[in-house]
Amino acid sequence: MLARTGFVSNSTTFNPVRIDQIVMDAELTVKAINDKFKITTDFSLLPDDSMRLKVNGNAILLQLALSNIISNACKYSSNRTAYIALGALNNKVFILIKDKGIGIPSKELGYIYDPYFRASIPME
């Protein structure tokens, strides 16, 4: 997907973006792709000062990455649901994406950052 965006790492600009907006946009994208996917979002950990949700990044690439992770969480979860929590602590913003899927076998975890790696599916 990154290749289709015309992404070139040395020409990408980073600007302040609101990460909560990126998460909400990613949710809309995932739901538009597959209306059977369910997403539960927890905003209870958001800071009182919304300016603490700003990060330096590329909004398009961040949304693309989050949409992919959320979509995979839904796709591989038995109930087609992804759970997202968003918050800020000190000078950090965090996003937790959780599912009830099959997971990645522990012996394959070392490969998750390899391009085009796809975990095996356990045989029943």
Side-chain angles (χ1 to χ4, degrees):
M1 291 179 102
L2 285 176
R4 283 187 250 146
T5 66
F7 173 72
V8 178
S9 64
N10 60 358
S11 69
T12 301
T13 58
F14 294 94
N15 300 303
V17 294
R18 287 271 305 264
I19 202 67
D20 56 336
Q21 187 62 53
I22 301 290
V23 168
M24 289 185 285
D25 291 345
E27 283 184 49
L28 291 174
T29 298
V30 170
K31 287 178 182 177
I33 291 169
N34 190 328
D35 62 359
K36 291 181 177 34
F37 287 169
K38 297 177 225 82
I39 301 168
T40 302
T41 307
D42 178 0
F43 289 117
S44 67
L45 302 172
L46 292 179
D48 292 333
D49 180 4
S50 63
M51 296 306 285
R52 292 182 54 208
L53 295 172
K54 283 196 172 193
V55 298
N56 248 354
N58 180 294
I60 294 168
L61 294 178
L62 284 169
Q63 182 185 345
L64 180 62
L66 284 174
S67 296
N68 187 46
I69 294 167
I70 296 166
S71 177
N72 281 344
C74 292
K75 187 186 311 181
Y76 294 106
S77 188
S78 58
N79 62 359
R80 300 287 186 242
T81 302
Y83 304 90
I84 304 170
L86 176 65
L89 184 62
N90 301 323
N91 292 332
K92 307 269 188 222
V93 173
F94 61 87
I95 303 167
L96 171 70
I97 301 172
K98 181 177 157 183
D99 64 51
K100 295 188 182 220
I102 58 174
I104 298 172
S106 57
K107 66 182 180 184
E108 297 179 15
L109 286 174
Y111 302 103
I112 62 172
Y113 295 109
D114 291 355
Y116 309 109
F117 168 75
R118 181 167 276 180
S120 61
I121 298 173
M123 302 304 267
E124 296 187 26

